Amino acid sequence: MSFVSRFAGPLEYRVSDRLQGPVVHCFSTRLGGVSQGPLSGLNLGTGRGDRPGNVVKNYRLLGRAVGFSPGELVFARQVHEDTVCQVDGSWRGRGLSYPGSGDYDALITDTPHVALTVFSADCTPILLYDPEHGAIGAVHSGWRGTAKGIVKKAVQAMTRAYGCRPQAMVAAIGPCIGPCCFATREDVPQAMEKALGALALPAICRQAEGYFVDLKLLNRIWLQEAGVGTIDTAPDCTGCDPVRYWSHRKLGQARGSMANVIMLTDEGEERL
Ligand SMILES: [Zn+2]
């Protein structure tokens, strides 16, 4: 198992030990943090009805542990589409400090100290790193994004923008809803089969009560299709463990959001 937990007091976050170099990253849990009531714990979503001061405090706690500051964060409105946005240093602070940064579900950069962030609460978060070119990506891939192959599009965008070689890239697929808990109607498996053909079949299980779909496996297949050399997958299911993770399926609208963050550090600049 190459996903491990790191702790700072009550705070817990997950990292992939395959994703190493002049880069910091995290997949947050709901443990730690100062939010109260139904959002009790580490809520990192700005649109969940939390007190803005609590969300900023939560980012400070997480950032101190992981190695980024709230002013370095960049995040966008996630709309379950497949648009990849290339960002640079001028984007620092967009999201937390002034919302409305556009509708994107994937962000890429090669600029240090730009902390790319995607949110999740059952959807699949994927962090990308190219150690050869010092480039990163953060992808939000819910079932609609998975059907659209957003993670492959993010890899291709990094190849176009920065000259990345997929074989050299590392992808970490974070905690999300597993096939144990993701019961769907037939629209979800149909969309996956339309996109991936027979490749999708191992990720679809038909039972009397409906379909069960494995989003982590489908995103892994997209990454393999993109030619990514190293793929690490978190074993955790958010639906099985709503005490540790925010799960939209298990908690409904009254839930917080996890933040999945990746940022290049100065070490990379010095190396170049
Ligand atoms: Zn589960």
Side-chain angles (χ1 to χ4, degrees), residues 203-240:
I204 299 166
C205 177
R206 184 177 185 164
Q207 299 201 353
E209 62 268 46
Y211 294 85
F212 291 82
V213 176
D214 188 340
L215 293 175
K216 282 187 268 197
L217 178 56
L218 288 160
N219 280 290
R220 188 180 187 89
I221 292 165
W222 279 119
L223 287 161
Q224 286 167 341
E225 288 292 291
V228 170
T230 303
I231 305 168
D232 194 15
T233 305
D236 325 41
C237 168
T238 48
C240 281

Side-chain angles (χ1 to χ4, degrees), residues 108-204:
I108 61 170
T109 194
D110 66 348
T111 307
H113 292 283
V114 174
L116 304 181
T117 305
V118 289
F119 304 104
S120 59
D122 286 342
C123 291
T124 313
I126 302 142
L127 301 179
L128 303 168
Y129 176 47
D130 172 12
E132 280 186 348
H133 294 81
I136 53 174
V139 182
H140 162 254
S141 187
W143 80 259
R144 292 178 197 279
T146 302
K148 291 170 193 277
I150 186 172
V151 76
K152 181 179 179 183
K153 288 173 183 167
V155 171
Q156 290 172 330
M158 288 174 70
T159 301
R160 277 196 304 274
Y162 311 122
C164 297
R165 211 165 47 87
Q167 184 58 36
M169 288 173 68
V170 180
I173 301 173
C176 72
I177 197 158
C180 38
C181 293
F182 189 43
T184 77
R185 293 189 301 265
E186 61 187 2
D187 54 342
V188 177
Q190 274 174 0
M192 302 307 169
E193 269 193 76
K194 195 173 171 203
L196 282 163
L199 286 176
L201 295 179
I204 299 166

Side-chain angles (χ1 to χ4, degrees), residues 10-26:
L11 183 88
E12 179 185 2
Y13 61 95
R14 306 280 280 156
V15 298
S16 163
D17 64 10
R18 310 297 296 274
L19 211 162
Q20 292 207 12
V23 64
V24 294
H25 79 284
C26 69

Side-chain angles (χ1 to χ4, degrees), residues 36-50:
Q36 300 294 321
L39 301 177
S40 171
L42 192 75
N43 165 50
L44 295 161
T46 54
R48 308 306 313 168
D50 204 349

